[in-house]
Amino acid sequence: MEMKKTYGLVEAGGTKFVCAVASSPEDLREEVRFPTTEPAETLGRVVEYFQAAQKKWGRLEGLGIGCFGPVDLDKNSPTWGFVTATPKAGWADTNVAGFLSHSLELPVVFDTDVNGAALGEHLWGAGAGLDNLVYLTVGTGIGGGVLSGGRLVHGLVHPELGHFLLSKDPQDTFTGSCPYHGSCAEGLASGPSLEKRWGKKAQDLPPEHPAWDLEAAYLAQALLAFMTCFSPQKIILGGGVMEQLQLFPKIHKEVLRLNNGYIRSPSLTPQGIVNYIVPPSLGNRAGILGALALTST
Amino acid sequence: MEMKKTYGLVEAGGTKFVCAVASSPEDLREEVRFPTTEPAETLGRVVEYFQAAQKKWGRLEGLGIGCFGPVDLDKNSPTWGFVTATPKAGWADTNVAGFLSHSLELPVVFDTDVNGAALGEHLWGAGAGLDNLVYLTVGTGIGGGVLSGGRLVHGLVHPELGHFLLSKDPQDTFTGSCPYHGSCAEGLASGPSLEKRWGKKAQDLPPEHPAWDLEAAYLAQALLAFMTCFSPQKIILGGGVMEQLQLFPKIHKEVLRLNNGYIRSPSLTPQGIVNYIVPPSLGNRAGILGALALTST
């Protein structure tokens, strides 16, 4: 019998960091969470946590890190493992993977948080058995991970689904919250965008508020584009904003309307779409299990 | 020494069919071309050609078919190998692969023409050595093939890059030529769209005509979206419209403007983009070599 290897896991988010130790999804040990402050302090807390964890649990095999982006994933690049052009204050050009690997003397698997989540849902969640998935998180930011042919999509850099440019609703006078693009998905449909446009936090807007129709229209527009690109077998929508479950039927309806019968599939019918565009099934463990999933790549 | 196997090749386009016999790119034998008329006549000519070819060259190993879409690529589907919801008159729900395989008693590899072209450029052309490519053809229609991690992207169906929905230029009063979508790339930027909007065939519009600025803006919008999705290492633009080479510098400039420094890469600089968004290097053999490339999958 093969002994399961034990890994250190880091869900490195723009709002909070989560660290844990695990050998399998059933074995998540002493998870800790702390807010994402400036890089030296935040990464210092990660190092302290794993130093203490290794005293308790023994030497780890390595670290799995799912990180907010954009990140450099080119192994031949001098800035591999860095967070690069993020609008997050203080974090642009921060060496995350190299710093943690060096400080802890551990090998590291490093990818985007959303690629991790996509792989986690493929291994243990809503996408089990499916080799072609899009995972989109809609929260403080918008980001996506993609599995195609059973493998995470990488390339020149990595997918940047949150910065997909939307066709703006002519009635929408909000100028967008992304410093790079006036009308990308993140700029128009993230949690902070909702709050700035409507003057209330997303969770304080009632389900019948017109905010949700506009939000669903913007997300449906992005999802149809991802469907024309990746032809996924399932689309999983996570993140804080998607906890507003009234969004799902609105998105379903709008995706069918925009597709207008062109892409034909049993999944693109009023019955089928309910199981095609779905919430994550790993819930608030998606991020940390994503980091665990990365250690299997 | 291994004997090279000889295949029948079919480039099944919406305007013309090309058939050939080859064992390698250097060995394209007696290529024939004929217009795409109604399915029974057109496919009948394909069968006749390969019956004659086999008398001359001996039994073929099989057929490689790169076909205009949309097509059904699900091997478990009763309509595998069919052209499905095409707007091309008479061709909706046509059994292409099954009919040719049955009539000629040959095994068939069947994929979209653009997936074939993407694979051909990866094996022998502008994308040699690169595992992450987008090939887009802009002609009678617009379609795209994608290689990710060295493999063709399939999924629920296949990519439908031509039906990516664009944000319409407010000055553009043309209502689009796609029967499914008012403002998809094919509806606004294909050859027939150019002709309908400006009242002249694309090749008769002079290089300084404002048509080309609008065309470049629409294509750049689509390409930036494909970059946020696939993060390709190279984008290859083929098809009749792209023979207007004045489009390339306009597209380069507009992609950089839209990206606004967000996706960072040496390829996304004024110097780098010249070798990032490029014409195909297989030229008018791209389609038939695409069919040959498919036989290697």
Side-chain angles (χ1 to χ4, degrees), chain A residues 5-282:
Chain A
K5 293 173 179 170
T6 301
Y7 293 92
L9 309 175
V10 185
E11 176 189 350
T15 308
K16 66 173 193 303
F17 268 54
V18 185
C19 297
V21 168
S23 62
S24 73
E26 296 73 35
D27 172 48
L28 278 180
R29 300 176 216 166
E30 51 166 13
E31 195 174 289
V32 299
R33 306 174 168 244
F34 43 86
T36 309
T37 57
E38 48 103 18
E41 183 185 42
T42 311
L43 297 175
R45 292 188 71 170
V46 176
V47 171
E48 281 167 29
Y49 167 84
F50 285 114
Q51 283 169 338
Q54 290 191 104
K55 282 184 189 141
K56 194 164 171 187
W57 304 105
R59 184 87 185 145
L60 298 167
E61 286 295 323
L63 295 180
I65 307 174
C67 188
F68 70 102
V71 292
D72 185 347
L73 299 178
D74 177 357
K75 298 226 166 116
N76 299 315
S77 160
T79 55
W80 171 83
F82 278 52
V83 170
T84 58
T86 179
K88 170 97 185 153
W91 282 82
D93 303 306
T94 296
N95 182 0
V96 173
F99 175 80
L100 294 179
S101 177
H102 181 78
S103 302
L104 291 161
E105 297 182 324
L106 285 171
V108 157
V109 183
F110 181 80
D111 209 317
T112 61
D113 47 2
V114 280
N115 263 344
L119 196 62
E121 291 285 341
H122 162 72
L123 291 174
W124 308 303
L130 301 178
D131 281 345
N132 302 284
L133 293 178
V134 169
Y135 177 94
L136 194 75
T137 180
V138 187
T140 311
I142 296 185
V146 184
L147 202 75
S148 176
R151 297 200 296 184
L152 293 173
V153 171
H154 297 134
L156 188 69
V157 194
H158 52 73
E160 277 290 356
L161 303 189
H163 293 269
F164 172 77
L165 299 185
L166 295 170
S167 191
K168 211 173 154 183
D169 185 309
Q171 311 268 293
D172 182 12
T173 55
F174 180 57
T175 52
S177 64
C178 169
Y180 291 92
H181 313 106
S183 65
C184 67
E186 180 163 301
L188 292 179
S190 63
S193 305
L194 279 166
E195 187 176 343
K196 280 184 203 153
R197 183 188 290 108
W198 302 105
K200 272 186 187 176
K201 283 185 186 299
Q203 65 263 37
D204 298 332
L205 293 165
E208 65 281 7
H209 194 282
W212 303 116
D213 286 326
L214 183 65
E215 181 73 4
Y218 281 148
L219 293 176
Q221 207 188 109
L223 297 188
L224 189 75
F226 304 154
M227 287 161 57
T228 61
C229 285
F230 300 113
S231 201
Q233 293 162 290
K234 197 162 282 222
I235 296 176
I236 302 168
L237 300 179
V241 171
M242 295 312 303
E243 288 171 17
Q244 303 290 325
L245 295 178
Q246 71 275 12
L247 277 171
F248 281 90
K250 289 178 193 290
I251 290 170
H252 293 155
K253 202 171 152 190
E254 184 66 6
V255 164
L256 293 177
R257 189 185 73 77
L258 289 173
N259 182 54
N260 197 22
Y262 181 72
I263 305 176
R264 286 201 216 169
S265 161
S267 295
L268 294 178
T269 59
Q271 298 75 40
I273 201 162
V274 177
N275 295 312
Y276 182 63
I277 299 175
V278 300
S281 62
L282 301 179

Side-chain angles (χ1 to χ4, degrees), chain B residues 86-116:
Chain B
T86 180
K88 169 99 186 152
W91 281 82
D93 303 307
T94 296
N95 183 359
V96 173
F99 174 79
L100 294 178
S101 177
H102 181 78
S103 303
L104 291 161
E105 297 181 325
L106 286 171
V108 156
V109 182
F110 181 80
D111 209 317
T112 60
D113 47 1
V114 280
N115 263 343

Side-chain angles (χ1 to χ4, degrees), chain B residues 151-165:
Chain B
R151 297 200 294 185
L152 293 173
V153 171
H154 297 136
L156 189 69
V157 195
H158 53 74
E160 278 290 357
L161 302 189
H163 292 269
F164 172 76
L165 299 184

Side-chain angles (χ1 to χ4, degrees), chain B residues 25 67 87 191 291:
Chain B
C67 189

Side-chain angles (χ1 to χ4, degrees), chain B:
Chain B
M1 191 186 131
E2 196 194 354
M3 282 287 285
K4 278 189 176 170
K5 293 173 178 170
T6 302
Y7 293 92
L9 309 176
V10 185
E11 175 188 350
T15 308
K16 66 173 194 303
F17 269 54
V18 184
C19 298
V21 168
S23 62
S24 73
E26 296 73 35
D27 172 48
L28 278 180
R29 300 175 217 167
E30 52 167 10
E31 195 174 289
V32 299
R33 304 173 169 245
F34 43 86
T36 309
T37 58
E38 49 103 17
E41 182 184 42
T42 311
L43 297 175
R45 291 187 73 169
V46 175
V47 171
E48 282 167 29
Y49 167 84
F50 285 114
Q51 282 169 340
Q54 289 191 104
K55 283 184 188 143
K56 194 163 171 188
W57 304 105
R59 184 90 185 140
L60 298 167
E61 286 295 322
L63 295 181
I65 308 174
C67 189
F68 71 103
V71 294
D72 185 348
L73 298 179
D74 178 358
K75 297 227 166 112
N76 299 315
S77 161
T79 55
W80 171 83
F82 279 51
V83 170
T84 59
T86 180
K88 169 99 186 152
W91 281 82
D93 303 307
T94 296
N95 183 359
V96 173
F99 174 79
L100 294 178
S101 177
H102 181 78
S103 303
L104 291 161
E105 297 181 325
L106 286 171
V108 156
V109 182
F110 181 80
D111 209 317
T112 60
D113 47 1
V114 280
N115 263 343
L119 196 61
E121 291 285 342
H122 162 73
L123 291 174
W124 307 302
L130 301 177
D131 280 346
N132 303 284
L133 293 177
V134 169
Y135 177 94
L136 194 76
T137 179
V138 186
T140 312
I142 297 185
V146 184
L147 201 76
S148 176
R151 297 200 294 185
L152 293 173
V153 171
H154 297 136
L156 189 69
V157 195
H158 53 74
E160 278 290 357
L161 302 189
H163 292 269
F164 172 76
L165 299 184
L166 294 170
S167 191
K168 211 173 154 183
D169 185 310
Q171 312 267 294
D172 182 13
T173 55
F174 179 58
T175 53
S177 63
C178 169
Y180 290 92
H181 312 107
S183 64
C184 67
E186 179 162 302
L188 292 180
S190 63
S193 303
L194 278 167
E195 185 175 346
K196 280 184 203 153
R197 182 189 290 109
W198 302 106
K200 273 187 186 172
K201 283 187 185 299
Q203 65 263 37
D204 298 332
L205 293 165
E208 65 281 7
H209 194 282
W212 302 116
D213 287 326
L214 183 64
E215 181 73 5
Y218 280 149
L219 293 176
Q221 207 188 110
L223 297 188
L224 189 74
F226 304 154
M227 288 161 56
T228 62
C229 284
F230 300 114
S231 201
Q233 294 162 288
K234 197 163 283 220
I235 296 177
I236 301 168
L237 300 179
V241 171
M242 294 313 303
E243 288 171 17
Q244 304 290 324
L245 296 179
Q246 72 274 13
L247 278 170
F248 281 89
K250 290 178 193 290
I251 290 169
H252 293 155
K253 201 171 153 190
E254 184 66 6
V255 164
L256 292 178
R257 190 186 72 78
L258 289 173
N259 181 54
N260 196 23
Y262 182 71
I263 306 176
R264 286 201 216 169
S265 161
S267 295
L268 294 175
T269 59
Q271 297 73 40
I273 202 162
V274 178
N275 294 312
Y276 181 64
I277 299 175
V278 299
S281 62
L282 301 180
N284 63 6
R285 300 189 307 155
I288 201 75
L289 290 183
L292 179 63
L294 291 173
T295 67
S296 72
T297 57

